[in-house]
Structures are given as structure tokens and as C-alpha cells.
Amino acid sequence: MRKKIIAGNWKMNKTASEAAALIEEIKAELKGVSGVDVVVCPPAIDLKDAAAAVEGSNVGLGAQNIHWAESGAFTGEISASMLTDIGVKYVIVGHSERRQYFGETNETVNKRTKAALAAGLIPLVCVGETLEERDSGQMESVVINQVRESLADLGDDLPSIVVAYEPIWAIGTGRTATPAQAQEVHALIRRTLAEISSGNVANIVRIQYGGSMKPDNAVELLGQPDIDGGLIGGAALQAESFAAIVKAAI
Ligand code: 13P
């Protein structure tokens, strides 16, 4: 049985003080709630204050990006040790917004994923097709290719990762994939994981759904056999709606 994981991707929202306050509210909403991994991923500059706020709670802390080098001349980037040093445990890698606006490719996603794993961070590796790709019948080939290339050569570390399936057409649009549509792609991702691994690995890896997941659709989405959690954007910016999604995962 895979433990569900609900992560909030705050994107470029909330100052450091707002982040700390939101985490306090989330902790209050989730008092006594267990059996599901809960993660918040605030902007990088908020992480230190967020680390203090999550301390001693069952809320895990994640970053939104990581560079593959240990240090060096990479202006604006953040290394694995900078994240682990302040208590970060997870990192989103290859979000579609980074692929779309910041030139991220499967190759750089793979390098960032490896750097995260080497540092003991859990990468939430994002894949997902555009509407154009879906409508032109390329969804399967695009997703298979993203999984194969982004997760290439992870060896024994593969079971530690989390995959996030985020159809780009469902992000921030209010247009959610139906539970059946999401389940179909999650099963495809699991079959692809089975092709690139051995033993029981493909059944261990958790696959989150992301794209307009809200309290009112979370139960049905999370009830699908291959949907092991959610990567939440808009609904993660309020404690009440985020907590409601966490509770839907139990
Ligand atoms: P929304 O939940 O706002 O659609 O965002 C999803 C997402 O991109 C999470 O990473």
C-alpha cells in the first residue's frame, strides 16, 4: 500500500512572513491528522522561515527547484546542500512552468533529479502533456518520453522518487482531468516505470496528480488505484482548502 502524498506548490506566491503564517494555519488545521505525507513548497527565499515554522510538526518542507552542481558560477541557482542545510526534505523538479518558461528539458530535469537524490532529498518529478499534444493524439508518446528521459539511470534510487502527472491544460484553468482520464495516464506512467526498472519498483513509486485539484474533486481523483496523492497549486494557498484535500487522502 503506497502512502499518499499531498504537496502544495505555492509557485511565486507568499512572502516569508506570509509563508510562516500560512504554515501555522495549516498545522492547526491538520492537528491530529496522520497517515498521509504532507508537504509545502514555498518560494526559495521563504524556505528558512518556513523551516522554522514546520519544525516539530508533520508538515514536510520542499523547494521548487534545485541545481545539479554542488556549487559554482550559476547565478540565481540553489544547490542541494543549501536546501538540506536548512531542513528541506523534498524538491519539485521539472514543473511544466519551468519547462515552458525557463528552458527546462528532460535532460536538465534528469540532472536535477540525480542531484536531489544524491543529497537525500525526495524529488517530485513533473511530467504532463499540453492540450495540443493531447488533441493531436501524442499524449502517450510525450508522457512516456518524459518519464523515460527525466528518470533515466536512477538505479537503486528510483523507488525514492515521486512522479507528478500534471496535464498542462488542467493547471490553473479550473479544468480538471476526469478521474478516468487521470487514472489512464497514471497507469501508463506506472507501466513505463515497470519497463525501466525491475522487481516491485514500479509498484512502490508514488504518482501524484496535479491540475486544478480542489476539495470537491479530490476524493474521487485520490480514489483511483494509481493516483497516490496530489500536487496542489491554487488550492494550497489557503489552509482550509489545502487541509481539506489532505483529509480527502486519508
Ligand atoms: P493548480 O492546482 O493551480 O491547477 O496548479 C497545479 C500545479 O501546477 C501544481 O504544481
Side-chain angles (χ1 to χ4, degrees), residues 67-153:
H67 195 265
W68 52 85
E70 280 174 25
S71 62
F74 300 102
T75 302
E77 292 287 322
I78 295 170
S79 73
S81 62
M82 293 170 190
L83 297 176
T84 55
D85 183 59
I86 59 165
V88 172
K89 303 271 189 270
Y90 300 82
V91 60
I92 299 169
V93 180
H95 190 278
S96 62
E97 287 147 19
R98 296 217 57 87
R99 291 175 184 264
Q100 214 173 339
Y101 308 132
F102 302 101
E104 198 80 69
T105 63
N106 290 335
E107 191 189 349
T108 55
V109 171
N110 185 241
K111 287 163 87 168
R112 293 182 203 274
T113 301
K114 285 177 177 161
L117 288 165
L121 291 160
I122 298 177
L124 314 179
V125 184
C126 304
V127 298
E129 81 287 359
T130 63
L131 187 58
E132 210 179 15
E133 288 162 345
R134 174 167 280 262
D135 287 347
S136 60
Q138 296 175 78
M139 178 276 283
E140 291 203 7
S141 61
V142 166
V143 172
I144 289 171
N145 199 43
Q146 286 176 332
V147 171
R148 284 186 164 273
E149 292 186 6
S150 303
L151 305 180
D153 307 321

Side-chain angles (χ1 to χ4, degrees), residues 22-42:
L22 178 53
I23 289 167
E24 292 305 332
E25 284 180 49
I26 290 170
K27 286 195 302 188
E29 291 274 352
L30 293 179
K31 223 179 186 106
V33 171
S34 63
V36 46
D37 288 336
V38 179
V39 182
V40 292
C41 304

Side-chain angles (χ1 to χ4, degrees), residues 9-15 41-44 46 64 97 102 237:
N9 174 9
W10 294 7
K11 307 190 180 184
M12 197 173 72
N13 293 289
K14 306 290 178 187
T15 62
C41 304
D46 300 354
Q64 296 178 15
E97 287 147 19
F102 302 101
L237 297 173

